[in-house]
Amino acid sequence: LHRQNGEHFAFVAHELRNPLMSAQLALGSLASQSLLPAVRSTEVLKRSMTRIQDLVERSLNMALLGSQKELNRHGTDLRALIDETVLEASPAAEEKNVRVQVEVSMMGEIELDPRLVSSALANLVRNAIKFTHPEGHVHIRASQTLAAVHVEVSDACGGLPPGKIDQLFTPFVQAGSDRTGFGLGLAIARKAIENHGGSISVKDRPGEGCTFTIHLPVRSYVETQS
C-alpha cells in the first residue's frame, strides 16, 4: 500500500510537469515579444511558476528516493555534474551578484546514480546562493581519495542561527529568514547521498557562513568493469 501511494504521488507530480512546461513556454514567448507588462503581477507570476516547478521536481525526487531499491549506477564524470549544476544556478547567482567559484581536483569517472547525485548537488548549491548575502561568494571544492569523493559547498550566509544546525535536514524546516522555498532541499540531498552509502555533514562558520560536505564512497568505473 505504501509503494502504491508512492507511485501515485510520483504519477501526479509527473503529470503536472507537462501543463507547467507549456505554461512556462507560453510565458517565455510572451516575454520575448515584449507582451508582458512590466508590473508587479508579472514578477509574481514568474516567481510563482518557478516555485511550482521546484516543488514538482522535488516531489518527483522524494518519490524516487522513497521507492527506489537499487541505484541506477554507471560511470559518471562528477566534474561535469558540478559544472552543469553551477550553470543551471547561474541566473539566481547573477540576480544577487553572487560569485560561484569551483575547484575540482582531477578525477576519473566514478560509479554513481547521476540523477540522485545531481539532485543533491543542485539542492546544496541553490541553498548556498539563496542564503549568501548579495555580492558574496559561494565556493565549491571537490576532491577524491582512493575510497571516497568529498564535495564542499561553502556559502556566505553569515552563520547559522543558534540551535538550528541539528534541524537543518528535517523536512519542511527552514533555518533562515528567507521562506521562499519549502524546506525540502536538504532532506532530499541527504537521502540521495545516504542511498549511496554516504553522508552529508555541515560546519557552521559563525560570522561568515556554513559549509556542507558530501562524503560519497565510490569505486572507480574502471574497477567495476574489471
Side-chain angles (χ1 to χ4, degrees), residues 72-95:
N72 182 22
R73 292 179 183 259
H74 54 81
T76 303
D77 184 344
L78 184 60
R79 177 163 194 152
L81 287 186
I82 294 174
D83 289 342
E84 182 179 353
T85 298
V86 173
L87 179 63
E88 291 177 351
S90 59
E94 291 170 1
E95 184 177 354

Side-chain angles (χ1 to χ4, degrees), residues 1-224:
L1 184 60
H2 176 72
R3 179 181 57 80
Q4 290 176 342
N5 286 337
E7 290 175 352
H8 177 70
F9 180 66
F11 174 79
V12 172
H14 185 270
E15 289 304 300
L16 283 172
R17 296 173 75 184
N18 292 330
L20 176 60
M21 184 177 298
S22 297
Q24 288 178 313
L25 288 173
L27 186 65
S29 176
L30 291 173
S32 66
Q33 300 175 58
S34 301
L35 296 177
L36 288 177
V39 295
R40 184 174 182 274
S41 296
T42 299
E43 293 305 313
V44 171
L45 176 61
K46 292 179 178 178
R47 288 198 300 269
S48 297
M49 292 184 67
T50 298
R51 291 188 67 192
I52 293 172
Q53 180 185 28
D54 186 52
L55 179 58
V56 168
E57 293 298 330
R58 294 187 183 203
S59 297
L60 283 170
N61 284 327
M62 288 292 283
L64 176 67
L65 291 169
S67 63
Q68 185 164 321
K69 295 181 180 180
E70 294 184 5
L71 298 178
N72 182 22
R73 292 179 183 259
H74 54 81
T76 303
D77 184 344
L78 184 60
R79 177 163 194 152
L81 287 186
I82 294 174
D83 289 342
E84 182 179 353
T85 298
V86 173
L87 179 63
E88 291 177 351
S90 59
E94 291 170 1
E95 184 177 354
K96 296 182 64 178
N97 198 22
V98 170
R99 183 180 178 186
V100 181
Q101 297 177 313
V102 180
E103 300 175 22
V104 179
S105 301
M106 295 299 294
M107 59 180 68
E109 286 193 335
I110 54 178
E111 187 195 18
L112 50 78
D113 187 320
R115 178 177 179 182
L116 294 189
V117 173
S118 179
S119 172
L121 289 170
N123 280 305
L124 292 185
V125 172
R126 281 199 300 259
N127 263 18
I129 293 171
K130 175 181 176 180
F131 292 108
T132 290
H133 299 313
E135 301 186 0
H137 291 74
V138 171
H139 296 270
I140 304 172
R141 302 178 181 88
S143 60
Q144 182 176 4
T145 64
L146 291 176
V149 164
H150 308 281
V151 182
E152 295 182 356
V153 180
S154 300
D155 62 36
C157 66
L160 296 170
K164 291 293 185 180
I165 194 167
D166 294 331
Q167 305 175 23
L168 288 176
F169 295 97
T170 303
F172 304 107
V173 170
Q174 295 175 302
S177 58
D178 190 328
R179 293 294 195 267
T180 57
F182 302 96
L184 289 172
L186 293 179
I188 292 173
R190 183 174 67 174
K191 284 187 67 65
I193 299 304
E194 286 181 348
N195 275 18
H196 284 78
S199 63
I200 297 181
S201 61
V202 57
K203 178 182 179 181
D204 184 24
R205 307 187 329 272
E208 298 180 16
C210 54
T211 299
F212 290 85
T213 304
I214 293 175
H215 308 278
L216 188 63
V218 295
R219 296 169 295 170
S220 71
Y221 183 57
V222 174
E223 289 177 353
T224 62

